Amino acid sequence: MVRAEYLRFLQKIKDDGVPAEERKIANLVLEHLTELLTLSTAQGQRAKKMVLLAQENWKTISAEIQHALEQTAEQAAPATRLIHLSVGPFCGFAKQELFDLNSRLVLIYGPNGTGKSSFCEALEYGLLGSVAEAESKRFRNQRDYLKNLHTNTFKAPVLTGVDSQGQDVPITADEALYRFCFVEKNRIDSFSRIAAQTPARQTELISTLFGLEAFTKFVRNFTQEIDERYIDLKGKKNEELNQKRQALAGSQQQLQTIPDELKKLAEEENKLASRYRESITFAQMVSELNGDDENPGLIEKLDTELQQQLVATKSNITLVGLQSLKESTEADLTELNTQKQALTVASQQVSFKQLYEAVTQVKTSSPEHCPACKTPLTLVAVNPYTHAGEELEKLRHLGVLQEDVDKLHEKIRLSLTEIAIIINTCCARVTQDNPLSTSLIPSGKAADNEWWCSLHQQIENGPTPWQHLEAQARQLEEADKTIDLLARQQTEKQEELKRLRGFAEEIVKLKTRRETADEALAKAKEAIEKFDTENAQLIADVEDEKAVVTQNLVIVKAYAGFVVRLNNYKNSLPAKLVADLGETVVELYNAFNRTDAQHEQLAAVRLPLGQNQRLEISFKNESENFVDALHILSEGHIRCIGLAILTAKNIKENCPLLVFDDPVNAIDDDHRESIRRALFEDHFFESTQIILACHGEEFLKDIQNLLSPERARQSKVISFLPKINKSHIHVDFHCAPRNYIVASRSHLEKGEIRDSLDKSRKALESLAKVKVWRYVNKHGDGNLSIKLRSITAPIELRNLTEQLKTKISEAGFSDRNKENVLRPLETLLGINGNSREWRYLNKGTHEETDRAEFDRHTVSEIVAALEQLDAALG
């Protein structure tokens, strides 16, 4: 199907002014169609394959569209109907079977799984040259799908037909000629689900209805454009060369900019030298600061001096401070002696003070009695507690005097400790033969007045220790001044070193910039000199690549144009498929729904032919008002529209046959009778051979009883039976007729009277309830008054027949042909209603023993009357 439709697309672009490059892409797709069918847009599968095929074959692929369909849909069919099919080994047929199809109606019956699909696929392969189911299952070689699995062999089915002259002709597969001969259940099912699809997908389902979903999917899997992800459109070698040339352009630019940079650097170097010292060059500054191989620079010298020159720690002792400490100590000692003498004078008072404090302290333990004699306080002359408080207030100054003495002791102790520390410092600084060493305070002891006095006693008629202390304090003070001078000098050197290192850093930056500029200048000169030599091969490759890139650009443009044309063709298919079908679709739809009320019959239908169009209909009572069919119609009615479109296309294309593969079973029960009548009673398919396969025995029976006995005899009925073994399909070519009148005549001729009467009863019931009653309703009053014996009792057939005869006999009955209908009815009713034959006709019979025999003559009259009645009703 995909190949055939693609070939039709090729014919369209063959003479349509399409550029040669696009035709080359179209031919390339045709040559590799089988490979491309399995690839989709996922991960760019098909785009990558198209690039590979185009690049490999571009110079050899032809731009001329050579392939053409052997037939076109407008050509007349060489055969008016099929007469023979030879099939096997093929699918379920393990061996050859010969089918006689020489009839305007071929009915194929069989339960599911008995081989009907294999038969229909044989017809499909013989007429179209392929099987759609094999394509949908992605069999690259259809023979792998169609071969018989038990014999592992395949033989193409052979079809024979008869032409308009009555001559036998072999049938050659021609998809264009026979593709509208097939009506399949799956396509109608898909069409009925149109309501669940988006408007864009609804348009595609018109194609799906005609079996073109595989072609639609094939077209959709072409990406719109091929971009640089899949093909080189700029030239990788050219890009590489351009990148190198851009780098070379940088080198050329450096040749122009670096001299200016070097000039700017020289100016900055001179400015830096001037900041360092006037009338000195940058090179001289560098040499002076950093030195050379023979002489160290100023920075190194200063750094070495600072590391070698260690400044001693100051003692922080001064002669003035020592003398001040001596004076304060002597004054504190004098004050201490004075305070002590005052305390000695007041020693008696101190004792009383202690007594009064003791009395005050025992008040809490004996608040009501005298603490000495235990006399109650109410009896004493003087309250001891009150008296003690008063006296303590008078002696408060003694407490102050004692506190002052304690403070003087602490102050003197601290001063002596400080003097002892100074002596320790002097001994630590002057370690050899220091006369103060004898005045050092041993560890664990504290300086006291005795130690202080020893400092002022002569040592062997020489100076006192204190005099030695003052002399050494004077020496240490002078040493501290020297240390301060050295510290200032060292700070000045550190500041100078910091200043010089700042200049050194500036020098490094300038030198680094100069080295970088010099190196870049050298590399730029070298790159320019070597470029053409080093890239000679790349330059040659770029020249060779230009042709490839030019070809790739042509391929990409041709591919994009091809895809646009292919999608336009795909999108135009629905309009082409249903062109001029509207009236026939409406006529067929109304025939399929002939029992619907007048306001439910269609006036017009608009099929979705373009993007975002919907299926619209109008009804006869409002022919100008179009509505969305999917919102109005039931699923069963939507299926009827699908069937109407397919059969209308079959009629328009003047197809010689119509092949149904279980399609009517896709229609609900309410529409089946009307569809049968449209197929076999109406004028639509009078000259069309119909091959219908179904698994419903009742449906097959209803078809045969809708036909006249003559047409039923002329039709072919073939039954597919459950398989006796699994290797081959079991076919019954001589199955019993399902038409009751034909069956009753056959049984009568064989002397099977009882069976003939059984079929006659069913024939009369079928004729009376369907054809005769419909005939009465058409030409007269079809309202009957029938009595029933109980609410569950069936209508008695004789009663129904008499009622119908009465209606036809009325003077107002309008049909001029009514005598032809009345005569067989009168014959049937002229037979005694109480006869065993009529009792059987009326309600059938159960198995009984010793029953009297049926009268052959009477049964013969019944069969003849039924044949006449059926013939009279058309």
Side-chain angles (χ1 to χ4, degrees), residues 433-593:
D433 299 329
N434 193 331
L436 291 177
S437 61
T438 58
S439 299
L440 291 171
I441 301 297
S443 176
K445 293 186 177 182
D448 54 15
N449 289 343
E450 183 180 354
W451 176 78
W452 165 255
C453 292
S454 69
L455 294 178
H456 300 282
Q457 296 176 2
Q458 292 182 337
I459 304 173
E460 297 178 356
N461 298 320
T464 64
W466 185 261
Q467 290 173 329
H468 284 291
L469 180 60
E470 286 183 341
Q472 290 185 22
R474 188 180 295 108
Q475 293 174 359
L476 291 176
E477 185 177 1
E478 291 299 323
D480 281 354
K481 291 179 180 179
T482 303
I483 290 171
D484 286 339
L485 177 61
L486 292 174
R488 285 194 299 273
Q489 292 175 348
Q490 190 175 41
T491 301
E492 291 173 356
K493 288 181 180 180
Q494 287 174 342
E495 290 296 325
E496 178 65 9
L497 180 61
K498 181 178 179 182
R499 185 180 77 88
L500 296 180
R501 280 177 172 166
F503 280 103
E505 290 177 359
E506 296 277 350
I507 289 169
V508 170
K509 292 177 181 179
L510 291 172
K511 288 181 72 175
T512 302
R513 286 171 58 189
R514 180 172 289 280
E515 289 172 359
T516 302
D518 290 340
E519 183 180 355
L521 185 62
K523 286 183 177 179
K525 291 178 179 178
E526 183 182 4
I528 292 171
E529 292 171 359
K530 294 182 178 181
F531 183 82
D532 289 341
T533 304
E534 291 179 348
N535 296 284
Q537 183 60 48
L538 181 59
I539 293 171
D541 291 342
V542 168
E543 289 301 316
D544 295 338
E545 189 182 54
K546 286 182 179 178
V548 175
V549 172
T550 301
Q551 177 179 289
N552 287 349
L553 290 170
V554 172
I555 289 172
V556 168
K557 182 180 179 181
Y559 172 85
F562 161 79
V563 171
V564 169
R565 293 182 193 278
L566 185 59
N567 274 282
N568 289 341
Y569 177 81
K570 183 256 298 179
N571 294 335
S572 69
L573 279 178
K576 291 181 180 179
L577 290 171
V578 298
D580 302 324
L581 294 185
E583 292 183 4
T584 308
V585 170
V586 169
E587 190 177 358
L588 283 165
Y589 175 86
N590 289 337
F592 296 160
N593 295 274

